[in-house]
Amino acid sequence: MPTEPSDRPQIEPLPPIDRARQVTEAVASYIDRANLQAGDRLPAERELMAALAVGRSTIREAIRHFQALGVMESRKGSGTYLLKPVTSATVHMPLSFDAIHLRDVLLQTLEVRRGIECEAGMVAARRRTTEDLVNIEEKLDEMERVHLAKGTSGPEDLAFHLAIYDATHNPLFKQLLEQMRGAFERFWEKPFNRPDFARRSFPFHRTLFNAIAAEDPEAARVETLKILAVVEEDIKDMSR
């Protein structure tokens, strides 16, 4: 039986540090303690804001994290619902890393990304729908527009790759990327304080899209490797 709202434990306010991550952890802990099950509705956005003493944008960032993990969904006009049971012990939180050894950790992460992203590109080339192609190309066009205007396009680049992950129709690809992105979010805003980081990979994004559009998995793998080769070279060169 679903738990009645009046019987659920109170959500405790947070100290003013690392809000987004703390909200994610606090909501996971609340779900666990309240024994919420798949199909149960979470407290309203305003209730979470008041209980955790954070703003709307922080609450929405946490909810987006859970949505990317496939454990929650927001229904327009109704609220946010749990799709799968979550506990503070099992929910996937952003990876942590030792910033002192940032270069080594980035290269280690890249080794993992290489396998995931190559496979994602190949799967997307096999499974993409017409709607997927429209979505990927829209993100690519925006990335190219921003890149040509500013010389860099970090958020738009991420949106492009997320669209490819969506085209795999396998939520694990996107979940894994969310994990890795969360650990390095501040770094990717301006890698090594160099706006030209990975700039040489820019044209390979269009050729990657072309490979997916042509339903050519091997070509998608090759173009993905070209992008990641540039990233690896720039990590090594710019971290000296």
Side-chain angles (χ1 to χ4, degrees), residues 110-146:
L110 189 63
E111 290 178 350
V112 178
R113 279 185 58 197
R114 188 174 282 114
I116 296 172
E117 297 213 26
C118 284
E119 185 67 19
M122 295 172 72
V123 173
R126 290 194 295 265
R127 295 181 182 170
R128 97 294 184 280
T129 64
T130 301
E131 291 77 13
D132 290 328
L133 279 183
V134 170
N135 184 40
I136 297 170
E137 189 165 29
E138 284 178 353
K139 301 300 189 295
L140 177 60
D141 289 344
E142 179 64 9
M143 175 190 163
E144 291 177 338
R145 184 190 68 78
V146 173

Side-chain angles (χ1 to χ4, degrees), residues 184-203:
F184 301 101
E185 188 161 12
R186 290 186 182 88
F187 169 80
W188 289 118
E189 288 176 0
K190 197 172 183 183
F192 300 113
N193 290 316
R194 293 281 297 271
D196 58 334
F197 180 84
R199 182 176 291 172
R200 292 174 296 119
S201 71
F202 175 64

Side-chain angles (χ1 to χ4, degrees), residues 5-6 13 36 41 43 52 89 108-109 121 160-161 175 219 224 229-230 240:
S6 59
L36 298 189
R41 185 165 64 89
L52 299 174
Q108 290 170 352
T109 304
F160 168 75
H161 288 287
Q175 290 175 25
T224 301
V230 172
R240 290 175 179 170

Side-chain angles (χ1 to χ4, degrees), residues 9-135:
Q10 296 296 310
I11 303 174
E12 300 298 326
L14 296 172
I17 56 172
D18 199 10
R19 292 294 198 184
R21 179 163 184 166
Q22 285 191 317
V23 166
T24 305
E25 293 174 345
V27 171
S29 176
Y30 169 75
I31 291 170
D32 190 8
R33 291 182 293 110
N35 195 32
L36 298 189
Q37 302 298 312
D40 285 344
R41 185 165 64 89
L42 270 69
E45 192 175 86
R46 288 183 181 178
E47 184 180 345
L48 290 172
M49 289 167 57
L52 299 174
V54 297
R56 179 174 283 106
S57 63
T58 306
I59 295 296
R60 290 182 176 177
E61 182 178 348
I63 297 300
R64 282 195 300 270
H65 175 82
F66 284 112
Q67 288 173 332
L69 294 172
V71 297
M72 287 184 191
E73 71 172 1
S74 295
R75 302 173 188 171
K76 190 172 182 179
S78 180
T80 301
Y81 290 80
L82 198 64
L83 297 179
K84 299 176 184 177
V86 170
T87 72
S88 54
T90 60
V91 69
H92 298 282
M93 297 299 174
L95 302 170
S96 61
F97 66 95
D98 182 355
I100 296 175
H101 303 293
L102 177 60
R103 177 183 184 276
D104 293 339
V105 176
L106 287 170
L107 292 173
Q108 290 170 352
T109 304
L110 189 63
E111 290 178 350
V112 178
R113 279 185 58 197
R114 188 174 282 114
I116 296 172
E117 297 213 26
C118 284
E119 185 67 19
M122 295 172 72
V123 173
R126 290 194 295 265
R127 295 181 182 170
R128 97 294 184 280
T129 64
T130 301
E131 291 77 13
D132 290 328
L133 279 183
V134 170
N135 184 40

Side-chain angles (χ1 to χ4, degrees), residues 144-190:
E144 291 177 338
R145 184 190 68 78
V146 173
H147 184 91
L148 292 173
K150 300 181 179 179
T152 185
S153 54
E156 293 76 19
D157 177 87
L158 173 64
F160 168 75
H161 288 287
L162 286 173
I164 292 175
Y165 278 46
D166 283 339
T168 69
H169 300 277
N170 181 340
L172 287 176
F173 283 114
K174 192 169 185 178
Q175 290 175 25
L176 289 168
L177 181 62
E178 283 287 312
Q179 295 287 291
M180 301 172 104
R181 182 183 70 88
F184 301 101
E185 188 161 12
R186 290 186 182 88
F187 169 80
W188 289 118
E189 288 176 0
K190 197 172 183 183

